[in-house]
Amino acid sequence: MGKLRGAGCITVLVVAGVASGVYYFAAPPPEGVLTEERADERTSQYIASAVRSLPGDSTMDESALLPAVSAPCKRNEQQVSKSYRVATGSDEKKAEVADALVDHWGNRGYTLQEDMRPDEMYVRFRNDDGFRLSLSNSSAENKLAISASSPCFGPEADGGKGIPVVTDMWSRVRSAIDGIGEK
């Protein structure tokens, strides 16, 4: 009986140690601090990925990216926001594009924050890095706007902390925790 109790304690310690170690090591190291250059690059990448997911042979013209309006940041912080117009032609095509983007962003694990369809063409997602992605009617006729905005970040020159950029962190942590529960 005493040997079984001792073995049980060791098992609990091993499981607890593995669990805490898995949780600790599940998150990848930060890829650096978010800067204007990195935010600019990432917003372009998110929009390009969205455009590639559209029905048909959609490609993006980088020179057609436009600055977008976004929520203001705190004093001494900044944000990068871009928008890209996609010609659709008809309301049916707009709905098809919206469905494709909702599927695309949802399949990547982004969190749906707002979907105003069918009353208004507006859908907004947020990913684990804090970038916001949206689809809305464009000011140009028969076009939709795909937009991406970075989180707010402090300027490097002022010694601002910025925010660490970590990809897939939460999905890795969740899978590690789920894996512990199964054992």
Side-chain angles (χ1 to χ4, degrees):
M1 188 76 156
K3 289 181 182 180
L4 287 177
R5 187 177 298 162
C9 289
I10 291 172
T11 302
V12 169
L13 289 174
V14 169
V15 169
V18 169
S20 64
V22 168
Y23 181 78
Y24 178 76
F25 292 109
E31 294 177 359
V33 172
L34 186 62
T35 61
E36 184 173 0
E37 181 180 330
R38 290 186 72 133
D40 184 70
E41 180 181 301
R42 299 285 292 271
T43 52
S44 295
Q45 289 171 346
Y46 285 128
I47 292 174
S49 174
V51 170
R52 283 191 306 270
S53 76
L54 299 179
D57 296 330
S58 301
T59 58
M60 188 175 89
D61 176 9
E62 288 273 343
S63 66
L65 283 170
L66 305 168
V69 176
S70 59
C73 295
K74 295 176 187 174
R75 180 181 280 183
N76 293 330
E77 288 186 335
Q78 54 191 347
Q79 177 179 55
V80 173
S81 297
K82 293 182 184 178
S83 183
Y84 187 76
R85 292 184 183 144
V86 177
T88 56
S90 66
D91 287 340
E92 293 81 26
K93 182 71 173 173
K94 281 184 178 183
E96 186 181 341
V97 166
D99 289 342
L101 279 180
V102 167
D103 288 346
H104 173 73
W105 289 332
N107 289 336
R108 281 170 173 56
Y110 301 168
T111 303
L112 177 64
Q113 292 191 309
E114 195 169 7
D115 187 348
M116 300 175 73
R117 299 173 302 157
D119 299 332
E120 185 178 333
M121 181 55 73
Y122 183 76
V123 179
R124 184 181 58 182
F125 280 79
R126 184 176 187 276
N127 68 15
D128 288 341
D129 283 347
F131 282 75
R132 291 171 312 284
L133 308 149
S134 65
L135 176 70
S136 60
N137 276 320
S138 172
S139 57
E141 191 174 332
N142 293 323
K143 290 190 177 187
L144 290 172
I146 300 171
S147 301
S149 296
S150 75
C152 295
F153 54 91
E156 288 181 352
D158 294 341
K161 293 181 182 177
I163 62 166
V165 178
V166 180
T167 57
D168 297 334
M169 180 177 82
W170 295 115
S171 62
R172 290 183 185 189
V173 169
R174 276 187 236 121
S175 68
I177 292 170
D178 290 343
I180 292 168
E182 293 174 6
K183 292 181 180 182

